[in-house]
Amino acid sequence: MRAEPQAAGYRPDPAILDLPDWLGDPVEPAAFPRTELRFRNRRWDRAVGLAAMDDGQWVRHFGRFEPLPDNVPQPLALRYHGHQFRVYNPEIGDGRGFLFGQLRDGAGRLLDLGTKGSGTTPYSRTADGRLTLKGAVREVLATEMLEALGAYTSKTFSVIETGEDLWRGDEPSPTRSAVLVRLSHSHIRIGTFQRLLVLEERDHMAALVDYCLRHYPGPPPLGDAPAQEEPAVMLLHQVVERCADLAASWMVAGFVHGVLNTDNIVITGESFDYGPWRFAPLWEPGFTAAYFDQQGLYAFGRQAEALHWNCAQLAVALRLLADAAPLRAALERFAGLYEAALLRRWCWRLGVAPRGTEGDTQLLAASVTAMRAEGIGPDAFFHRHRGGGQASGDLADALTLYQPTGSAGEWPAAPEAMLIDEVEAIWSAIAERDDWSPFARKIAAVRAFGDALGDPPVPAGHGAI
């Protein structure tokens, strides 16, 4: 059974205010014509001491954005640059979101409340700063499924429908609007550091490194990292460790993020900012989520490469503070960390105890071969063969050496998946009949599935995901 997030009292801690105004700009939230609560995360509101809010209070804070008590007094649109499909763009920043508050959870970790669709900011350019309701529904479904599958992900905290008609080129318009609030352990991106490099703001970068190490501490080195005294190098080691584990978690989940730009990668290694995501129907490394990713830069099988490349861009930025050699050494750990995380997570989802790198590598290879031979995707594969069941050929031979692991949760009779046809059907019920029952049933089923899987094997220091 998966451990629930530890309940806590409300503990505001607007640590972001320790940094001067070079990190972000105060902004005003949009005044929406309507605020109708559509989703409230009852699992995570307890973890940050907000479970006692009634729905009216909730809407005032997360639809009208009245400041939380003793918290950030005015929303902050954060400044950053970024590589977008590996083309550098200095003209970006929080264009339809802002940092709304910060607070501690039951484990004492700092979490951020950030928005999506909350109105225009100085970085909106020609966009309207809004979010479609469909986009919000899709983000709930993505984060819930990834959380169930053990990925370190931001949590969709709140969705409020806002009563505006939006025009979009990639879905029927006009379409309904919403504002979303996400809960995550950081909104500091790799692109935040890239901006400071371009502006040659060395002192500001040093302050940001210190902020990240103090407030978003990572796990200790995982065995092969030398002790480091240089803060910038320590931070890079942590980001490399977390991003390697993140890439592995996506592969085991069969998930394709779609847009792995440096402004979409946060330094805590959380899966973050869901646009054209997909879960792969088959184990196909070339499968892409974004129709505009014509070169397959962020294809399913290239996600580890993409995150490694992003970590390298952070290393380039940190050269403002540190020598190249120790930064390069941190980057060189990525491949080994990724392989170890992939094998560890693969065995966990398959329901067997790991045996060691060589044996687990053979199990992974036999699994992929069997998946392709059976013509099934990751969800069906892991369901069919969990604990070593129903295997034949090389997979059966490999699994005979493994000890099944038990789970206190009730195992579902059929694979739990989040493929695009079901996502579209859930949205159609909302769009055509305002029927939210398929959405609610899916979330309940996904959470039960996560409980049955149990806690994932994450590196020390991550805590509850």
Side-chain angles (χ1 to χ4, degrees):
M1 178 70 70
R2 175 151 316 170
E4 284 287 313
Q6 183 178 341
Y10 174 63
R11 296 172 57 193
D13 187 0
I16 200 81
L17 301 181
D18 293 343
L19 297 173
D21 59 5
W22 48 263
L23 187 64
D25 298 273
V27 293
E28 295 290 339
F32 298 115
R34 184 159 64 93
T35 47
E36 184 171 358
L37 181 59
R38 292 300 193 178
F39 174 77
R40 174 175 176 172
N41 197 323
R42 290 289 187 176
R43 172 175 287 183
W44 282 92
D45 66 359
R46 294 190 299 270
V48 292
L50 297 178
M53 274 190 188
D54 62 33
D55 286 350
Q57 293 171 310
W58 189 273
V59 168
R60 286 198 299 274
H61 288 299
F62 302 120
R64 301 298 184 189
F65 295 102
E66 293 181 7
L68 291 165
D70 302 315
N71 219 303
V72 176
Q74 186 171 357
L76 293 172
L78 301 186
R79 304 174 183 176
Y80 45 86
H81 292 179
H83 279 91
Q84 298 184 311
F85 287 84
R86 301 199 178 168
V87 177
Y88 196 77
N89 185 356
E91 302 297 328
I92 54 178
D94 277 341
R96 58 170 173 172
F98 49 62
L99 182 69
F100 176 62
Q102 294 182 294
L103 58 180
R104 299 277 173 179
D105 68 1
R109 299 170 303 172
L110 184 68
L111 290 98
D112 294 358
L113 290 165
T115 66
K116 190 174 182 179
S118 49
T120 57
T121 77
Y123 311 104
S124 300
R125 293 180 290 176
T126 60
D128 60 12
R130 267 50 173 185
L131 172 68
T132 67
L133 182 61
K134 182 179 183 179
V137 167
R138 282 173 46 82
E139 185 144 339
V140 176
L141 295 174
T143 54
E144 290 286 336
M145 191 67 180
L146 283 172
E147 184 179 2
L149 288 168
Y152 186 33
T153 177
S154 63
K155 313 301 184 293
T156 306
F157 197 61
S158 171
V159 172
I160 292 175
E161 188 168 0
T162 53
E164 296 178 314
D165 291 334
L166 302 181
W167 291 86
R168 294 292 187 267
D170 56 353
E171 62 180 281
S173 296
T175 190
R176 293 155 71 176
S177 59
V179 63
L180 178 147
V181 177
R182 62 167 66 96
L183 183 72
S184 64
H185 290 99
S186 178
H187 280 81
I188 304 298
R189 299 155 168 84
I190 289 175
T192 313
F193 289 88
Q194 291 182 289
R195 175 181 174 273
L196 296 178
L197 173 66
V198 168
L199 299 178
E200 299 183 350
E201 296 183 4
R202 187 184 188 283
D203 291 345
H204 291 167
M205 187 178 289
L208 186 60
V209 168
D210 178 68
Y211 172 85
C212 293
L213 290 173
R214 284 188 295 118
H215 294 295
Y216 306 110
L222 300 180
D224 62 331
Q228 299 289 347
E229 296 182 357
E230 171 57 57
V233 178
M234 291 171 59
L235 179 64
L236 184 61
H237 274 287
Q238 293 182 4
V239 175
V240 165
E241 289 167 4
R242 286 168 174 257
C243 284
D245 185 71
L246 176 62
S249 73
W250 284 342
M251 295 303 291
V252 175
F255 179 75
V256 189
H257 183 282
V259 185
L260 297 180
N261 299 330
T262 55
D263 57 298
N264 285 341
I265 308 300
V266 291
I267 52 88
T268 49
E270 288 170 273
S271 190
F272 169 77
D273 199 14
Y274 299 93
W277 61 267
R278 293 284 191 278
F279 283 88
L282 297 172
W283 189 269
E284 175 49 62
F287 179 77
T288 57
Y291 69 88
F292 45 83
D293 187 5
Q294 312 248 333
Q295 306 303 315
L297 183 63
Y298 299 143
F300 177 48
R302 297 185 67 184
Q303 294 183 114
E305 171 198 334
L307 287 179
H308 188 207
W309 192 90
N310 281 322
C311 289
Q313 305 319 302
L314 176 60
V316 170
L318 292 173
R319 280 286 286 116
L320 199 60
L321 302 176
D323 292 336
L327 294 170
R328 189 181 306 113
L331 286 174
E332 290 171 350
R333 299 177 60 223
F334 187 97
L337 290 166
Y338 169 70
E339 180 184 8
L342 183 65
L343 298 177
R344 179 173 64 239
R345 285 179 172 276
W346 194 276
C347 289
W348 168 74
R349 191 173 180 190
L350 197 53
V352 297
R355 294 180 57 246
T357 300
E358 183 175 352
D360 296 344
T361 299
Q362 293 172 354
L363 175 62
L364 173 60
S367 297
V368 172
T369 298
M371 216 183 307
R372 288 173 167 162
E374 296 171 23
I376 58 176
D379 302 304
F381 170 81
F382 285 113
H383 186 273
R384 179 178 298 178
H385 299 296
R386 184 167 173 81
Q390 302 184 48
S392 61
D394 291 345
L395 180 60
D397 293 341
L399 281 169
T400 58
L401 303 174
Y402 282 80
Q403 181 69 34
T405 55
S407 176
E410 182 178 349
W411 195 245
E416 192 61 58
M418 192 69 75
L419 299 180
I420 188 61
D421 287 349
E422 185 176 10
V423 172
E424 291 294 331
I426 290 169
W427 169 247
S428 292
I430 295 169
E432 296 169 9
R433 304 183 300 279
D434 206 30
D435 180 3
W436 290 79
S437 57
F439 174 77
R441 286 195 300 269
K442 187 62 177 180
I443 291 172
V446 165
R447 290 186 176 184
F449 172 54
D451 289 343
L453 277 171
D455 288 328
V458 296
H462 272 244
I465 60 169

